[in-house]
């Protein structure tokens, strides 16, 4: 939205936080009742999708069939979209399943996905407060720039 002058100064000016977050908990049927958590964006709309539509592809399923569950959720959203809030809702459920599986097997999720490929991995925090990102241990932060590609020769006019 930075290509539009009236929205350039603030991400909240165009409603980036309007929908809020969705937090999904998946509880397994093991003796410990392992709980996995997944977080995404989409607010009440994503919550509605998870509770009223996507849950049918998760409840009672073997959580190790995570790819099957994901595919069924993805294909089932054909009639209302395969991007935006729908994919955010699917993402929250998917993350919760992976989190639960890692806890159940007592291994980090990267081991479930095939193992470690690097000793360290560079990451950044997307934030309007890079000072807080630094306090949290991040060495870099991505934040809005008043003069970026959208405002220069590469931006839309």
């Amino acid at each position: 939205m930075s290509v539009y002058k009236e929205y350039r100064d603030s991400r909240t000016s165009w409603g980036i936080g309007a929908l809020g977050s969705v937090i999904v908990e998946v509880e397994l049927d093991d003796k410990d009742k392992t709980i996995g958590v997944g977080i995404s964006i989409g607010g009440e709309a994503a919550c509605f999708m998870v509770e009223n539509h996507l849950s049918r592809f998760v409840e009672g399923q073997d959580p190790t069939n995570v790819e099957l569950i994901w595919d069924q959720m993805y294909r089932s959203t054909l009639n209302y979209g395969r991007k935006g809030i729908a994919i955010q809702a699917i993402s929250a459920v998917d993350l919760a399943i992976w989190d639960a599986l890692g806890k159940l097997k007592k291994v980090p999720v990267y081991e479930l996905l095939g193992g470690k490929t690097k000793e360290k991995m560079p990451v950044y925090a997307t934030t309007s407060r890079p000072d807080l990102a630094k306090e949290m241990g991040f060495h870099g932060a991505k934040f809005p720039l008043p003069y970026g590609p959208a405002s220069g020769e590469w931006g839309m006019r």
Side-chain angles (χ1 to χ4, degrees):
M1 292 294 289
S2 62
V3 298
Y4 299 104
K5 184 178 180 184
E6 65 268 32
Y7 301 112
R8 197 172 289 155
D9 291 336
S10 169
R11 296 176 98 190
T12 56
S13 70
W14 51 271
I16 193 167
L19 292 176
S21 299
V22 59
I23 301 172
V24 172
E25 286 188 352
V26 172
E27 183 178 318
L28 304 184
D29 288 335
D30 64 313
K31 65 178 175 59
D32 296 326
K33 299 293 184 189
T34 302
I35 293 177
V37 178
I39 302 170
S40 189
I41 60 170
E44 291 181 29
C47 289
F48 183 88
M49 284 181 214
V50 170
E51 291 177 13
N52 295 287
H53 185 201
L54 302 177
S55 61
R56 74 190 69 224
F57 305 107
V58 180
E59 294 172 358
Q61 290 279 6
D62 178 348
T64 61
N65 291 333
V66 67
E67 297 295 334
L68 172 67
I69 295 167
W70 188 93
D71 190 56
Q72 290 175 343
M73 290 189 298
Y74 181 74
R75 290 172 184 267
S76 74
T77 62
L78 174 64
N79 63 337
Y80 59 87
R82 292 183 171 181
K83 58 185 178 176
I85 294 175
I87 205 70
Q88 296 296 340
I90 290 169
S91 182
V93 174
D94 188 54
L95 289 169
I97 294 169
W98 282 110
D99 184 48
L101 286 174
K103 290 174 180 174
L104 179 69
K105 296 179 182 267
K106 297 181 178 14
V107 298
V109 173
Y110 71 79
E111 282 189 25
L112 300 173
L113 297 171
K116 189 183 332 184
T117 61
K118 300 169 183 60
E119 284 303 313
K120 291 182 175 182
M121 186 167 76
V123 298
Y124 66 83
T126 301
T127 179
S128 59
R129 295 287 309 270
D131 56 324
L132 295 178
K134 188 174 182 179
E135 283 179 28
M136 290 185 276
F138 289 91
H139 295 286
K142 179 176 139 185
F143 53 94
L145 297 173
Y147 307 102
S151 63
E153 64 184 81
W154 300 287
M156 293 176 58
R157 299 192 200 299

